Amino acid sequence: MATALPVGRRERLAQWWSLRTRPERTVIALGGTALVLALLWLVAWDPMRRDSERLSRRLAEQRIALAEARRESDAIAGLARGAPAASPGDARAAIEAALARQNLKSAAGAVDRLDDQHWHVAFAGVAFDALTALLEGLQRDSGVRATEVSVTGRVEPGQVRADVTLTR
């Protein structure tokens, strides 16, 4: 008597399933369903939930950053509107007046005109604080601003040698 052995995997699984009782089949089906659901939760649902939470936090952070950038942009625009217009007067006269006001006329060399828009002032020795106050005052009061500043420290504390190019 010869019996035929199941050839393929499907036939072997069908034979194995047919040998199980009804309660065993129910337990196996429920266990398989639970296993599939657990795998789906681990592989798909939980990572999506964590990504969603992370993206929600990032969105809130980026909204805060955008609001801050808008506030800063408005502040910059307000500063631009409030900036004094360049006075049509002579920039050389404004530079020399500012030097005299700050008692830096003796520390500064001559105010040399480089071209239509640029002037050069060299300081052999000047206090750094006085130099920054001069540049700030020139820009605020006369619309003359520094385009190039070369500063070298001197031996005396707080003293610098400076070459300044100014423009209006």
Side-chain angles (χ1 to χ4, degrees):
M1 187 171 24
T3 57
L5 294 174
V7 179
R9 181 178 283 169
R10 177 174 264 179
E11 289 85 15
R12 282 184 294 193
L13 182 62
Q15 183 184 13
W16 178 82
W17 186 256
S18 66
L19 293 175
R20 303 293 146 227
T21 64
R22 187 168 191 81
E24 286 178 328
R25 289 180 190 170
T26 304
V27 168
I28 292 171
L30 290 175
T33 303
L35 180 65
V36 167
L37 289 175
L39 285 174
L40 281 173
W41 186 80
L42 284 173
V43 172
W45 185 257
D46 192 44
M48 286 190 315
R49 182 188 53 81
R50 281 185 278 140
D51 285 348
S52 177
E53 290 171 358
R54 180 181 53 83
L55 290 173
S56 295
R57 284 191 307 270
R58 281 188 57 198
L59 179 63
E61 291 168 359
Q62 290 176 350
R63 284 184 175 158
I64 290 169
L66 177 62
E68 179 65 26
R70 285 182 176 155
R71 277 193 299 276
E72 289 177 5
S73 174
D74 292 343
I76 290 170
L79 289 174
R81 284 189 300 271
S87 58
D90 184 25
R92 178 188 208 108
I95 295 168
E96 289 179 353
L99 288 170
R101 252 191 329 271
Q102 304 242 347
N103 294 324
L104 295 176
K105 192 104 171 131
S106 62
V111 177
D112 299 322
R113 184 181 198 125
L114 299 176
D115 57 32
D116 290 341
Q117 300 277 329
H118 296 88
W119 292 266
H120 178 263
V121 182
F123 296 91
V126 65
F128 185 74
D129 293 342
L131 178 64
T132 56
L134 170 73
L135 296 177
E136 179 185 8
L138 276 170
Q139 183 165 348
R140 180 187 60 238
D141 301 335
S142 307
V144 176
R145 61 185 170 80
T147 55
E148 273 185 54
V149 179
S150 174
V151 179
T152 306
R154 294 181 44 99
V155 176
E156 302 88 11
Q159 294 289 311
V160 294
R161 179 190 181 295
D163 288 310
V164 181
T165 303
L166 301 163
T167 190
R168 174 170 282 168

